């Protein structure tokens, strides 16, 4: 049962070909901790099929009447291929991510998706990480690439991949609710990292 712990809201964006576990681990940990989180499709369909042919039904689409990126306090981009390419091809999403990042609002990306932030010019002079196969994209666009599981640089949070999704999820909980909520969430999921 969801028990809301904050008025802040998060949107996790789903594109066909995404890495479903990266997205769903983040949604799960935010939900468990009481942070309102919507699964948002970047297509006109609520159903999105992952790179592993798992179909997820989202809560909303960016094409819905009345949908607004500004209803959220954080935008989250999961990775996966070709999901990352499909997110990158979504102009309204890229515009919103750019506006969020440049105005100091929160953006998070994991696995290949930090390459989107790099290509949008948002990581220049910033610390970040990504899947090792995409770290060259970050450095080519002016980022200092770190090998940490999760890197927070101001309002931008990046993470390496599925193996670091729990750490990223806990960092998002930390951002919204603090360390006590992180410890409570760790206990709920029997986290031993």
């Amino acid at each position: 049962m969801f028990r809301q712990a904050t008025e802040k809201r998060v949107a996790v964006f789903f594109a066909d070909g995404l890495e479903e576990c990266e997205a769903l681990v983040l949604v799960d940990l935010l939900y468990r901790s009481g942070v309102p989180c919507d699964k948002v499709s970047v297509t006109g369909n609520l159903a999105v099929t992952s790179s592993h042919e798992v179909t997820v039904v989202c809560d909303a689409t960016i094409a819905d009447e009345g949908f607004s990126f500004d209803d959220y306090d954080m935008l989250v981009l999961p990775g996966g291929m070709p999901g990352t390419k499909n997110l990158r091809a979504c102009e309204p999403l890229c515009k919103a991510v750019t506006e969020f990042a440049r105005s100091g609002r929160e953006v998070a990306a994991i696995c290949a998706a930090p390459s989107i932030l790099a290509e949008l010019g948002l990581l220049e002079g910033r610390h970040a990480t990504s899947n090792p196969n995409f770290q060259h994209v970050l450095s080519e666009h002016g980022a200092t690439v770190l090998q940490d599981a999760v890197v927070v640089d101001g309002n931008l949070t990046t993470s390496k991949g599925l193996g670091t999704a729990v750490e990223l999820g806990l960092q998002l909980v930390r951002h919204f609710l603090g360390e006590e909520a992180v410890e409570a969430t760790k206990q709920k999921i029997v986290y031993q990292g």
Side-chain angles (χ1 to χ4, degrees):
M1 185 166 101
F2 180 70
R3 292 190 176 169
Q4 188 168 331
T6 178
E7 294 299 315
K8 303 290 186 181
R9 294 181 66 205
V10 176
V12 178
F13 293 93
F14 285 64
D16 286 323
L18 83 154
E19 168 47 70
E20 69 278 4
C21 291
E22 290 169 358
L24 292 173
V25 165
L26 301 178
V27 169
D28 178 275
L29 292 174
L30 290 165
Y31 181 90
R32 283 176 194 264
S33 67
V35 178
C37 180
D38 289 339
K39 301 180 303 295
V40 180
S41 168
V42 299
T43 73
N45 300 315
L46 288 174
V48 175
T49 302
S50 76
S51 60
H52 302 107
E53 300 182 13
V54 174
T55 299
V56 177
V57 178
C58 293
D59 305 302
T61 81
I62 65 169
D64 290 350
E65 186 176 336
F67 176 82
S68 175
F69 293 99
D70 288 328
D71 289 342
Y72 298 96
D73 299 282
M74 177 183 280
L75 307 181
V76 179
L77 307 178
M81 280 296 172
T84 296
K85 290 180 182 177
N86 291 332
L87 290 176
R88 179 67 175 98
C90 181
E91 289 183 26
L93 175 62
C94 289
K95 181 180 178 201
V97 165
T98 300
E99 289 173 357
F100 264 62
R102 292 206 169 130
S103 68
R105 291 182 285 173
E106 300 293 323
V107 176
I110 184 170
C111 193
S115 68
I116 297 171
L117 306 183
E119 291 172 353
L120 293 173
L122 304 174
L123 294 181
E124 188 171 345
R126 310 281 294 258
H127 294 96
T129 195
S130 71
N131 178 286
N133 293 326
F134 292 86
Q135 291 180 355
H136 70 281
V137 178
L138 277 60
S139 60
E140 288 165 7
H141 288 85
T144 299
V145 177
L146 303 180
Q147 296 306 318
D148 301 354
V150 177
V151 175
V152 178
D153 188 322
N155 61 321
L156 302 181
T157 303
T158 53
S159 187
K160 282 185 151 182
L162 175 55
T164 63
V166 171
E167 286 88 347
L168 176 58
L170 293 172
Q171 176 55 41
L172 302 184
V173 171
R174 182 177 290 110
H175 170 77
F176 288 109
L177 301 175
E179 202 61 46
E180 190 173 312
V182 169
E183 292 306 315
T185 303
K186 284 181 179 179
Q187 287 185 1
K188 289 177 188 175
I189 65 169
V190 195
Y191 180 74
Q192 299 179 354

